[in-house]
Amino acid sequence: MITIILWLMCFNFILLYIFLVWNFDYWKKRGVTGPKPRPFLGNFPSVFTQKSHISCDIREIYEAYKTTDNYVGIFNCRTPLLMITNADLIKQILVKDFQKFRDNEISTMVDEKSDFTMANNPTAMKGDEWVERRAELLPGLAMTRLKSGFSVTSKICKKLINHIERESKSKGCPVTFDINELSLRLACEIVSDSVLGHKAETFSCRKPLAIFHQVKAYSEQSFIHIIYMVLTGLLPSLKKYKKLRFVRQSIEKYFVRLIRDAFRKRQQHGEQRTRSDFINYLLQLHERKRLKMDELTGHALSVLLDGYVTIAQAVAHCLLLVLSS
């Protein structure tokens, strides 16, 4: 009996191995070079080990092939992907031939039922819907409007400096700071004020408001998200039957309530309508196009949540380069 069980286990293991590697010759058949993928891991082992970011795997592949190939065949688990390494070819794809490449993978993973926030984000839209949403958002992020928020950003940066000085004096030298959290606090202050006119108070002497804890929770990648990406890498057809929630429901509800409160306050207090921020732009857009509240909320969520992590990451990396130079 034990022998039969062992044979069955070996047989199942062999079947699993064949399933994982059977299409690893996909790019070879098409004459495309690329690094050798590993069973189950593909070319992105960091997704599973979590010892480094996936961008480190991508950079390693890029550095190995950038001088020899314009494009490289790689694998996400067992799903083939094409990685472009030539800058001129990337420009052609993103500019001249963009009409053929404007849809993206995220659009196949979400819908409004599974994730209202991400489904209303331009990065998860495709076709004419993406074109319309992009046209609505871009004027609100024009350079003149962004420049008008410089004074707000300057004041918040001074708060950051005062916070560092205050912490240094209270704890004595040397004092250590978590650069990621410090950058996230800065991003939370800037984006909340610039988009909503809302003070996050992340650098005050008191404890930060709830918004910072929600932003921090949003920036953390969940284990379920990793599992989903692995499973869809193994079985791409799974995306048709099971959609992914990128933003936790509790976080989504918090920011939806915050945004709708901001809309209501602006409509009730006419003097605040002179601020050149994103909420006022959306109210102007509402008056011109009669958008529904769900559409306005989706626009605001897109800019709000995207802004937190991207600004925090950019600032954290800049500080890392400055401190290590």
Side-chain angles (χ1 to χ4, degrees):
M1 186 66 181
I2 295 177
T3 305
I4 295 173
I5 293 173
L6 289 174
W7 274 108
L8 286 173
M9 289 176 63
C10 290
F11 180 71
N12 289 332
F13 178 79
I14 292 170
L15 285 179
L16 177 63
Y17 180 80
I18 292 172
F19 169 74
L20 292 173
V21 304
W22 72 271
N23 67 332
F24 276 0
D25 60 348
Y26 180 91
W27 291 119
K28 188 176 180 180
K29 288 179 180 178
R30 291 160 174 78
V32 179
T33 59
K36 186 178 179 180
R38 304 177 193 176
F40 194 75
L41 302 177
N43 294 113
F44 304 125
S46 62
V47 173
F48 307 92
T49 63
Q50 293 292 295
K51 291 182 179 179
S52 60
H53 194 268
I54 189 174
S55 60
C56 296
D57 294 333
I58 295 172
R59 181 178 178 83
E60 187 178 338
I61 297 169
Y62 171 74
E63 292 293 339
Y65 290 91
K66 66 178 182 180
T67 57
T68 57
D69 297 273
N70 292 331
Y71 44 84
V72 180
I74 57 177
F75 288 84
N76 174 26
C77 292
R78 55 188 291 273
T79 303
L81 303 171
L82 191 66
M83 175 179 171
I84 311 300
T85 58
N86 180 276
D88 293 330
L89 190 55
I90 292 172
K91 185 177 180 180
Q92 181 177 337
I93 291 170
L94 295 179
V95 180
K96 185 178 179 181
D97 299 325
F98 185 67
Q99 289 293 324
K100 299 176 182 177
F101 295 96
R102 64 188 185 184
D103 295 347
N104 58 71
E105 190 177 11
I106 297 177
S107 63
T108 64
M109 298 181 184
V110 298
D111 56 25
E112 285 205 349
K113 292 181 180 178
S114 63
D115 192 338
F116 168 80
T117 303
M118 187 54 68
N120 281 279
N121 192 305
T123 59
M125 291 181 168
K126 56 184 179 180
D128 294 335
E129 188 181 22
W130 174 85
V131 174
E132 184 179 355
R133 182 58 57 91
R134 180 178 179 272
E136 290 173 352
L137 277 175
L138 272 183
L141 301 172
M143 188 59 68
T144 52
R145 191 174 291 272
L146 294 177
K147 283 182 178 179
S148 67
F150 176 77
S151 59
V152 172
T153 304
S154 181
K155 290 177 183 177
I156 293 171
C157 288
K158 289 177 182 177
K159 289 183 180 180
L160 169 64
I161 295 171
N162 293 335
H163 171 75
I164 293 173
E165 291 177 346
R166 187 169 61 248
E167 290 292 307
S168 299
K169 290 178 181 178
S170 63
K171 296 179 181 179
C173 292
V175 61
T176 58
F177 292 94
D178 184 330
I179 293 297
N180 284 324
E181 180 164 325
L182 205 62
S183 302
L184 198 60
R185 285 173 183 260
L186 179 67
C188 185
E189 282 273 8
I190 292 173
V191 177
S192 298
D193 200 319
S194 302
V195 176
L196 299 177
H198 182 85
K199 305 295 183 183
E201 299 294 345
T202 60
F203 295 122
S204 68
C205 297
R206 301 166 304 195
K207 290 183 178 180
L209 298 180
I211 187 171
F212 174 69
H213 300 294
Q214 295 289 344
V215 170
K216 193 174 181 181
Y218 169 70
S219 68
E220 296 169 350
Q221 189 178 38
S222 69
F223 182 71
I224 294 175
H225 182 267
I226 296 172
I227 294 297
Y228 182 87
M229 298 303 290
V230 171
L231 291 176
T232 52
L234 293 171
L235 295 167
S237 58
L238 183 64
K239 288 182 279 190
K240 296 179 182 178
Y241 306 102
K242 179 63 179 177
K243 301 298 183 179
L244 178 65
R245 174 173 280 281
F246 282 87
V247 182
R248 272 180 272 172
Q249 197 167 17
S250 59
I251 297 173
E252 180 183 287
K253 286 182 177 179
Y254 175 83
F255 281 106
V256 166
R257 186 171 65 253
L258 195 69
I259 290 166
R260 291 183 175 177
D261 284 346
F263 278 129
R264 188 173 62 254
K265 288 177 182 177
R266 290 297 173 89
Q267 289 172 328
Q268 292 173 351
H269 300 86
E271 69 275 6
Q272 292 184 354
R273 294 294 297 273
T274 57
R275 277 191 58 140
S276 183
D277 57 17
F278 195 69
I279 284 290
N280 279 344
Y281 167 74
L282 289 180
L283 288 173
Q284 294 166 11
L285 187 67
H286 169 64
E287 291 168 359
R288 292 200 312 269
K289 300 188 68 173
R290 292 298 168 189
L291 297 180
K292 298 177 182 177
M293 181 54 70
D294 283 350
E295 293 175 304
L296 292 176
T297 304
H299 281 322
L301 272 172
S302 296
V303 175
L304 199 65
L305 295 182
D306 284 355
Y308 288 134
V309 178
T310 51
I311 291 176
Q313 288 178 342
V315 171
H317 281 83
C318 285
L319 289 174
L320 178 63
L321 290 172
V322 169
L323 295 173
S324 59
S325 61

